[in-house]
Amino acid sequence: GDSVTQMEGPVTLSEEACLTINCTYTATGYPSLFWYVQYPGEGLQLLLKATKADDKGSNKGFEATYRKETTSFHLEKGSVQVSDSAVYFCALSSAGGTSYGKLTFGQGTILTVHP
Amino acid sequence: KAGVTQTPRYLIKTRGQQVTLSCSPISGHRSVSWYQQTPGQGLQFLFEYFSETQRNKGNFPGRFSGRQFSNSRSEMNVSTLELGDSALYLCASSLERDGQPQHFGDGTRLSIL
């Protein structure tokens, strides 16, 4: 079945440091890939997405490239801010009718950014 | 534009009781999905509804059920509550027919005593 594996956390960085959160997946066919972010006490917010190989999703300085050859979708940001502190989830949605409305999530990575 | 609204935000129940959670999707969205979030199991898919029909279901016991109304609002019901049902229940809606991408509500925190 489908699965998503994220790098173990938590990740602690100083402000303006570079961020990479690794994400790899297992799925049949050509899934769509997503990064969601969850702030304390809130639901998940879509950060970025990619729907086919070599697509690059980007938003708010975050980027991720859909790499089919390595089945990866790593999240990167060149300079993090304290306000980026949150939990980040990598997720996939498989193609096909049996996957309607279903996201398979990684375990989440807690990011803390210190001033 | 209003986001996904879940009510109530917090709920406390005792073992053996049943509970109903409500979700109002973004206006115009017809796909509604439900997830359970726990520290141990993470985010797990419960089921998805589109135009009042359940199209997809996760691997949860029959105590977990849901429905969707003609205005796309959805409810999920959990009967015979167990301690392990304590979780954050998240609802998400989508404008697209394939149910992606999803927009999440802030969840209902269910605690079982």
Side-chain angles (χ1 to χ4, degrees), chain A residues 28-79:
Chain A
T28 53
Y30 300 91
S32 294
L33 302 174
F34 307 86
W35 277 100
Y36 281 87
V37 58
Q38 186 175 35
Y39 298 99
E42 298 184 9
L44 279 69
Q45 297 178 24
L46 177 64
L47 185 58
L48 52 84
K49 65 174 182 172
T51 57
K52 60 183 187 295
D54 300 324
D55 265 1
K56 177 185 281 188
S58 61
N59 186 25
K60 300 180 182 178
F62 291 91
E63 292 183 339
T65 300
Y66 189 142
R67 301 288 189 199
K68 187 158 180 64
E69 64 276 10
T70 54
T71 61
S72 65
F73 193 54
H74 306 321
L75 183 67
E76 298 176 325
K77 188 174 186 182
S79 175

Side-chain angles (χ1 to χ4, degrees), chain A residues 86-108:
Chain A
V87 184
Y88 291 81
F89 292 93
C90 184
L92 72 80
S93 172
S94 281
T98 58
S99 297
Y100 282 147
K102 178 183 178 181
L103 285 167
T104 299
F105 287 92
Q107 65 270 39

